[in-house]
Amino acid sequence: MRLSLSLLWALLLAITPQLLLASTAPLDLDAGWEYRWGDSPLQADGTPTWTQEEATEAWQAIDFPSNPPGRDGESNAWFRITLPSGEWRDPVLYIYSVDLIVQVYLESELIYQYGHFDEQGKGRFEGWPWHMISLPEDFANKPLYFRIFSNYTDIGLWGEVKLMDRPDLWQFILTNSAVDLVISAFSLLLALLAGVFALIHSRRRSFAGIGLFSFASGIMILAETQASQLLLNLPLLWDYLAAAGYYALPIGIGLLLEHWFDSRHSRWIRLLWQLHLAYLVAALTLAMSGAVNLSSTFPVYDVLLAITLPSLFIILALRVSALNGEQRWIVATYALFGLLLLIDMAVAHGLLPWARVPVSAGALAFSLTLVAISIRHYSRTQTELVRLNQRLEQQVEERTQALQKMVEKLLAFSYQDPLTGLKNRRHFDEMFQQEAAIARRGKPVTLVMLDIDHFKHFNDLHGHEAGDTVLMTMGKLLSDYFREDDAVCRLGGEEFVVVMPGATSAEATDRIERFLVSMRDQRFMHGEKELGRVSLSCGIATYPDHTDDPVELIRLADQALYRAKQRGRDRFETYAAS
């Protein structure tokens, strides 16, 4: 196990060296929190009053923003913290989970929302994803507020809260998910093999139980791993899959154990797994029909499991002498898995301090035990087992390739602006260094800085959603207009840059002039509302016309952009020495 983890870590280091070089040490926000119960009244413009009050006596200190004392039926709570200063290139706030929905305000500005709050400040459960909250560059020493609604047993943030760079977060998510993804794939593969054996082998019930247990554990681990949110950003769907796998675990092990004992003990085991089957069907049916929130089915199931799991172990302990060596190994690994589930349950309900419980290790131990038993019987298996083993190797190779593709996909995310789909500043920095090196060999290169005029006023007038629509449309217009060899990137906010390899100053000027003319006829829409026209200011600088060092083009183009702003906006300026 230690060797496999080392190999995985070495793989991550080999694939993502640039992420490691660019990262700044993440900071745990585990001190300085305050809370208050209830919900803030809203001002006429919709701004919560509590984000603008100077009085602090209503706020109480808390070690971590979760489950404050004195809840007394409250379903709304606020938490706040003053963000520390530090050097981050692309700062984000990472939260492991929230119970249940949240709005986040930096001072009085809403910067993030998960879930929908109604007029009473309430809302429905929409899943337990991890959260990434983008922060502006000037976030330091500003108060950050969390507006929370939860009708669940817990309320507030849960797990861990970290301040870090965005690339470090992708690295963090991938590192924490890689082993679980491999274990999930291994469990699902074992479920497939057990299902095949259940069809062709005389011991159908045993293989059906193994297959169901492996499938349930594989689905549960996959759904709960944080990388699943990157593969498919549907948190509630993943929580339904996690619930289905979690609730089905006792059914699978019950089917496996039932026929090992005499009729009296088998009857009790059958009763236990049938009780869990009834709960699985009832809970998921009620949740999908909207009669209850899915979140409310977990505490009830946890109570049920806390009763039935020890009961099953008591039955096994009373009849352990009737089991053979292989059966005892299976029972022991299931006991380990069950113990980890109980510990994870205790952590989830605050009975134990928060920690990442390696539930997947229990599934791996159970799966490896079954594999070891299968290898022991390998010499006595029939010819079809040899063919199935070959299929196993093929499936493992396919899963490994799928994991490699996922790693490459996650790495690509760090070079793309999520809003416009353009390349981001990180890509620009690396690509421009390469273009500068090519230019020094005698090839011209032009850099164009573009900035949307009065964009803050536009956001204030039409709202940030309309502003996002303009940014996305602008990104598409720029991508469609410039040459295939040109690189269009979003540097951040309303600022874009175009790198034009091989273009002279005259060629770039002509293209920018025609683009600005076309922009004056462009009308932007948000939904059914016409936003009118949006103007751009542009600055142009060319190597070698304006500098002996192509790296200087960034500064020179920025100066030209500033001059365009000074001379009335909605225009371009080519760099000229003062």
Side-chain angles (χ1 to χ4, degrees), residues 49 73 77 102 105 109 116 132 164 184 213 221 263 333 352 375 424-425 437 441 465 483 486 520 540 542 554:
T49 302
V102 61
Y105 293 85
E109 180 184 358
H116 301 281
M132 179 181 69
M164 60 176 71
S184 172
F213 184 88
I221 294 168
S263 59
T333 53
L352 292 175
I375 293 176
N424 59 14
R425 179 184 287 273
R441 303 187 193 121
E465 289 186 0
R483 303 173 306 174
D486 299 334
R520 293 181 185 117
I540 303 171
T542 301
I554 298 175

Side-chain angles (χ1 to χ4, degrees), residues 143-162:
L144 192 68
Y145 296 86
F146 294 82
R147 181 192 185 194
I148 303 284
F149 165 77
S150 175
N151 55 5
Y152 183 59
T153 55
D154 294 327
I155 184 170
L157 281 58
W158 196 80
E160 54 192 349
V161 181
K162 294 178 180 289

Side-chain angles (χ1 to χ4, degrees), residues 506-523:
E507 292 170 342
T509 298
D510 179 64
R511 291 197 64 82
I512 290 298
E513 185 173 20
R514 284 188 283 117
F515 180 73
L516 290 182
V517 170
S518 68
M519 279 295 301
R520 293 181 185 117
D521 296 326
Q522 180 74 36
R523 294 297 181 269

Side-chain angles (χ1 to χ4, degrees), residues 92-105:
V92 295
L93 189 69
Y94 160 77
I95 304 172
Y96 185 87
S97 184
V98 173
D99 292 313
L100 288 172
I101 61 175
V102 61
Q103 287 181 335
V104 183
Y105 293 85

